[in-house]
Amino acid sequence: MLGEKELIKLFPEFKELVQPSGIDLRVDEVYRQKGPGSLIDNEKDLPELERLESPLYTLEPKTAYSVTIDRKIKIPKGYSMLYVPRSTLLRSFISIHTAVGDPGFYGTLQFLLVNQGEYPFTLRRGERIAQGVVFPVEGSGEYNGSYQEKEE
Ligand SMILES: O=c1ccn([C@H]2C[C@H](O)[C@@H](COP(=O)(O)OP(=O)(O)OP(=O)(O)O)O2)c(=O)[nH]1
């Protein structure tokens, strides 16, 4: 796992968010599901989303939300990222579900956030909700899938 010094070199645009062993990630937009979806023969039909008004998001009990992270990230070739929740959210009955960040990915990260509790939870746009931890990967190629965005 990479530490602070290496992380600042690899992710200079996240400098102020670098922690001893990861990068803090802040919530940007929050969406509710608006319709059905499917995955059949690897054909994706993602559910329609409805954006919640910011900056104060009210997360209703037993409800799932799709959330974006507040700046685009470039994962350099030769490295992967895993995303883990901020423990304050877990202590508040909020879970965050994430996948792997691939070498070469550029774009907006999107996580699933679920209020598992019995009461509403209020989250402000820009709060830190997760941490990305980075590992070197040997012999990797680069991600070029459907969520890859064009680098500016
Ligand atoms: O929780 C996560 C984890 C990763 N990513 C980003 C970075 C990752 O490189 C990219 C693609 O993730 P993955 O390979 O898991 O997605 P897929 O469904 O297999 O996409 P594709 O079909 O385009 O390969 O999405 C997220 O937005 N959220």
Side-chain angles (χ1 to χ4, degrees), residues 12-39:
E13 67 283 14
F14 283 84
K15 192 166 186 255
E16 82 277 12
L17 293 169
V18 167
Q19 297 297 319
S21 62
I23 298 174
D24 278 339
L25 300 170
R26 297 190 301 206
V27 61
D28 187 18
E29 286 175 339
V30 176
Y31 299 86
R32 265 189 92 129
Q33 186 180 6
K34 243 322 241 335
S38 63
L39 178 64

Side-chain angles (χ1 to χ4, degrees), residues 1-2 7 21-23 80-84 131-135:
M1 191 191 290
L2 298 192
L7 291 170
S21 62
I23 298 174
S80 277
M81 275 185 113
L82 296 179
Y83 307 101
V84 292
Q131 196 179 162
V133 293
V134 181
F135 300 88

Side-chain angles (χ1 to χ4, degrees), residues 42 44 75 83 97-102 105 108-111 143 145-147:
N42 208 32
K44 309 167 182 126
I75 305 175
Y83 307 101
H97 306 264
T98 68
V100 177
D102 302 290
F105 171 81
T108 303
L109 295 170
Q110 199 163 342
F111 300 155
Y143 178 75
S146 51
Y147 305 112

Side-chain angles (χ1 to χ4, degrees), residues 43-142:
E43 276 293 313
K44 309 167 182 126
D45 184 10
L46 300 179
E48 198 183 318
L49 301 176
E50 178 181 43
R51 186 156 59 87
L52 266 56
E53 247 180 56
S54 70
L56 287 186
Y57 301 120
T58 304
L59 309 176
E60 301 296 343
K62 312 293 178 203
T63 307
Y65 298 86
S66 189
V67 304
T68 57
I69 293 303
D70 84 341
R71 65 187 81 166
K72 292 180 196 295
I73 193 161
K74 168 76 185 184
I75 305 175
K77 190 178 176 193
Y79 298 91
S80 277
M81 275 185 113
L82 296 179
Y83 307 101
V84 292
R86 184 174 176 187
S87 80
T88 297
L89 291 185
L90 303 179
R91 293 167 199 261
S92 307
F93 296 85
I94 307 296
S95 58
I96 299 189
H97 306 264
T98 68
V100 177
D102 302 290
F105 171 81
Y106 175 76
T108 303
L109 295 170
Q110 199 163 342
F111 300 155
L112 181 70
L113 188 148
V114 183
N115 181 356
Q116 309 279 0
E118 309 284 336
Y119 297 92
F121 182 80
T122 306
L123 179 65
R124 193 185 177 96
R125 186 180 196 164
E127 294 296 334
R128 293 177 289 117
I129 58 165
Q131 196 179 162
V133 293
V134 181
F135 300 88
V137 188
E138 277 172 35
S140 80
E142 287 194 74

